[in-house]
Amino acid sequence: MRQVNRRSVLLGGAAAVSAAGLTATLPSWASARTTAAAPAIHDPFQLGVASGDPLPDSVVLWTRLAPAPLNPDGLGGMPNASYAVDWEIANDAAFSSIAQKGTVTAVQASAHSVHVEPAGLEAGREYFYRFKAAGYISPVGRTRTAPAAGAAVNQLKYAFSSCQHWEEGWYHAYKGMVADNPELVLFLGDYIYEKKSGRKLSALNPRHLAVSDDATTLALYRARHGQHKTDADLQAAHAMAPWMVVFDDHEVMNNWNGTTSPASADRKAAGFQAFYEHMPIRSTAKPVGATIKLYRQFVWGNLARFHLLDTRQYRNAQVPDPADGNPNCTTMRDPARSILGTAQEAWLLKQFETHPATWDFLGQQVFFATRDDDGSKTTCQSTDSWQGYEASRDRIAKGWVDRKVPNPIVLTGDVHRHWAADLRRDYFNHSDPIIGSEFVTTSVTSNSDDATDPSAAWYANNPHVKYCRGKRGYVRMTASQAQVRADFVTVSDTTEGAIGKVTIATDRSYVVQAGKPGLQQV
């Protein structure tokens, strides 16, 4: 007997459909059968749909069959059976003009996740997509391909976010992002948290984990990803536009690294596998044991090039950060140390040799510019940042200067506060030339309860830093051939579940003019 769930046709419900400007209808292929002998299941599309990694002729389409995504075994309530999953990508939201369609098989070994990579799509255009399995219809997603190489592009609107601890708040930031309607979203790390919240104000945590154990196994990582993916606002943001995603540390465990990592090979393999199963990333990133290749590049016509970096997997171990706040500067400045690793560093420098676009955006995880409390070069801090790998940072900065990269902009997550800073090679010489700028997004929910905004004296020691704000939110970007504008969007309260009591607004905006490095407040 055929089942069709009309609710699941909608993009997370009527409100999300309205926000994304989509309409949904029952497709002509709704009567397709499940794989022979597969047990019946109820609505398997509890985690929504997503797309990502757009190329001029292709984009990744993602979903996962999980009628019970909070189950602690990580299997999402799915039997150990194979299921046929039909997919369609269309030129219009009504699916009256189908561009491509096909069928893939979802299996338990990959948590019944689906990654489809249709090829031969038209460049620089909008598409709509959906899935069908076991008689149920998925939400409708909207995506787009990148413009053709070298194509003239006048403007790109995108957003970027980071750090979304489930327990520490509601994902109201994504309501603002969906209302902004960007063409692209970047996520820069800490999509999940492997551990329970450590907030001192834990009584304010508005949500609780279904499985509270720290994620250490594949089953627990899958359950943690599954719970995050149940959030309606996150689902709506995924269904609105393609995403480019990289991880930081909490997708595996706090402060892991590429050498003396506290995470075992088995734990990294489990974290990587669950990450791949839940992200709209290409099969080229499918992990092999405890390795996964996430660094990659995307070009948006002649306007923008995105270098997505992995500052976690290949880095040397962080220098210990002792209680007195004065770690070993000699080790931090050791030229043999790298935050990217030899191969990735060489790859990035090689990319800098060509200049296909007006703007080069480095999407990565940890603070690039120096933050220094006392203004003295004889002391060091911020070991878990590029500052803890000074020689590696200088090789990258010198690399883009020597190769005449026209307009480099670093995009950063991790630190749970908005920041805007100009970049120099020598941050202690306040007249050293500005060679780029950095925009840092605050967290979606992850808090920094003890953080205070910098003092006037601190800014005097760090004149390259122009802005800091300790609220939750995201960054809205508008790139044109003439300038890049960053709007730092904040959410008034992530502990309040009722959106009517929450304000989402731009706190501060900066622009960088093409060919003229340096932040200008607007």
Side-chain angles (χ1 to χ4, degrees):
M1 178 178 179
R2 181 174 65 91
Q3 290 178 296
V4 174
N5 185 327
R6 293 190 66 92
R7 181 202 59 77
S8 68
V9 176
L10 301 180
L11 177 60
V17 171
S18 176
L22 307 181
T23 59
T25 57
L26 287 174
S28 60
W29 43 274
S31 61
R33 293 183 298 109
T34 63
T35 299
I41 54 175
H42 67 85
D43 184 359
F45 295 110
Q46 302 293 319
L47 304 183
V49 299
S51 69
D53 283 7
L55 300 175
D57 65 345
S58 178
V59 66
V60 178
L61 309 179
W62 173 93
T63 194
R64 179 191 169 199
L65 309 184
L70 303 186
N71 284 4
D73 64 5
L75 299 178
M78 290 292 292
N80 186 9
S82 299
Y83 286 79
V85 180
D86 298 326
W87 60 271
E88 284 190 326
I89 185 166
N91 297 310
D92 63 319
F95 287 79
S96 62
S97 174
I98 305 300
Q100 291 189 32
K101 63 182 179 179
T103 301
V104 295
T105 303
V107 298
Q108 191 180 76
S110 56
H112 290 95
S113 63
V114 171
H115 294 74
V116 177
E117 300 179 29
L121 300 176
E122 295 180 37
R125 63 153 299 159
E126 183 178 77
Y127 286 97
F128 300 84
Y129 64 97
R130 63 191 174 189
F131 300 89
K132 185 267 178 182
Y136 291 90
I137 313 302
S138 79
V140 174
R142 181 181 61 189
T143 190
R144 65 178 59 248
T145 51
V153 178
N154 294 324
Q155 181 175 278
L156 168 64
K157 291 173 60 179
Y158 70 94
F160 67 99
S161 57
S162 177
C163 302
Q164 48 190 32
H165 202 300
W166 176 270
E167 294 173 274
E168 295 187 359
W170 300 94
Y171 295 168
H172 296 319
Y174 290 119
K175 283 187 170 68
M177 195 180 288
V178 169
D180 290 338
N181 197 25
E183 300 167 73
L184 189 64
V185 176
L186 275 65
F187 192 88
L188 301 181
D190 293 345
Y191 192 96
I192 65 163
Y193 278 70
E194 87 292 359
K195 61 180 183 177
K196 296 182 287 293
S197 174
R199 291 187 68 193
K200 292 182 179 179
L201 302 178
S202 59
L204 292 179
N205 287 342
R207 304 201 284 190
H208 300 286
L209 295 169
V211 182
S212 62
D213 295 340
D214 286 1
T216 57
T217 66
L218 180 56
L220 292 172
Y221 283 115
R222 284 170 168 170
R224 193 62 50 85
H225 274 282
Q227 181 154 26
H228 282 63
K229 275 283 203 294
T230 62
D231 186 273
D233 294 317
L234 178 58
Q235 286 190 23
H238 270 299
M240 166 194 64
W243 284 40
M244 299 176 182
V245 181
V246 287
F247 59 40
D248 195 12
D249 53 342
H250 288 290
E251 287 86 353
V252 177
M253 73 174 292
N254 189 39
N255 285 339
W256 70 276
N257 57 70
T259 55
T260 58
S261 171
S264 68
D266 287 346
R267 188 169 183 181
K268 285 192 284 188
F272 294 169
Q273 178 67 21
F275 178 83
Y276 176 77
E277 289 170 351
H278 291 84
M279 295 299 123
I281 53 180
R282 294 190 173 273
S283 58
T284 51
K286 189 173 184 177
V288 178
T291 61
I292 183 172
K293 187 176 181 296
L294 274 186
Y295 65 86
R296 57 210 194 275
Q297 175 187 282
F298 298 93
V299 182
W300 209 262
N302 69 348
L303 179 62
R305 178 167 61 169
F306 295 92
H307 311 271
L308 298 186
L309 306 182
D310 178 352
T311 63
R312 184 59 56 183
Q313 188 176 184
Y314 312 105
R315 66 161 67 183
N316 292 98
Q318 295 93 281
V319 173
D321 200 353
D324 63 8
N326 188 19
N328 188 324
C329 297
T330 301
T331 303
M332 289 174 67
R333 293 166 181 162
D334 183 349
R337 286 167 51 78
S338 176
I339 195 170
L340 297 179
T342 303
Q344 184 180 192
E345 201 170 283
W347 167 84
L348 182 58
L349 292 174
K350 183 68 174 177
Q351 305 312 305
F352 289 160
E353 293 178 1
T354 62
H355 310 130
T358 300
W359 300 95
D360 276 76
F361 297 104
L362 282 68
Q364 54 91 51
Q365 295 77 27
V366 293
F367 219 99
F368 195 88
T370 285
R371 293 172 294 166
D372 184 81
D373 290 341
D374 60 12
S376 171
K377 199 169 186 176
T378 63
T379 60
C380 298
Q381 61 189 82
S382 299
T383 61
D384 187 16
S385 73
W386 286 80
Q387 201 168 335
Y389 304 80
E390 286 192 15
S392 183
R393 178 178 65 179
D394 190 60
R395 287 191 292 271
I396 298 305
K398 182 177 184 296
W400 79 54
V401 171
D402 290 349
R403 291 160 179 78
K404 296 180 170 44
V405 174
N407 299 292
I409 301 288
V410 177
L411 309 175
T412 302
D414 181 59
V415 290
H416 306 177
R417 288 194 283 177
H418 280 323
W419 297 81
D422 285 324
L423 303 178
R424 296 185 166 107
R425 291 188 61 194
D426 184 353
Y427 292 95
F428 297 94
N429 176 2
H430 297 168
S431 62
D432 204 46
I434 296 172
I435 61 170
S437 295
E438 179 175 21
F439 298 121
V440 182
T441 181
T442 188
S443 58
V444 173
T445 57
S446 306
N447 277 266
S448 47
D449 293 322
D450 296 331
T452 58
D453 289 341
S455 66
W458 189 94
Y459 278 115
N461 288 331
N462 299 268
H464 58 284
V465 178
K466 308 301 180 184
Y467 167 70
C468 175
R469 185 74 164 120
K471 298 285 288 184
R472 313 284 69 78
Y474 63 98
V475 180
R476 177 177 58 233
M477 301 287 289
T478 306
S480 70
Q481 294 291 346
Q483 69 175 29
V484 160
R485 175 178 175 132
D487 298 314
F488 291 90
V489 180
T490 59
V491 176
S492 61
D493 188 356
T494 57
T495 65
E496 172 57 63
I499 187 60
K501 299 180 180 180
V502 175
T503 301
I504 303 172
T506 299
D507 187 68
R508 186 79 64 85
S509 298
Y510 289 90
V511 299
V512 177
Q513 302 292 337
K516 186 180 179 181
L519 297 168
Q520 302 172 34
Q521 185 178 345
V522 292

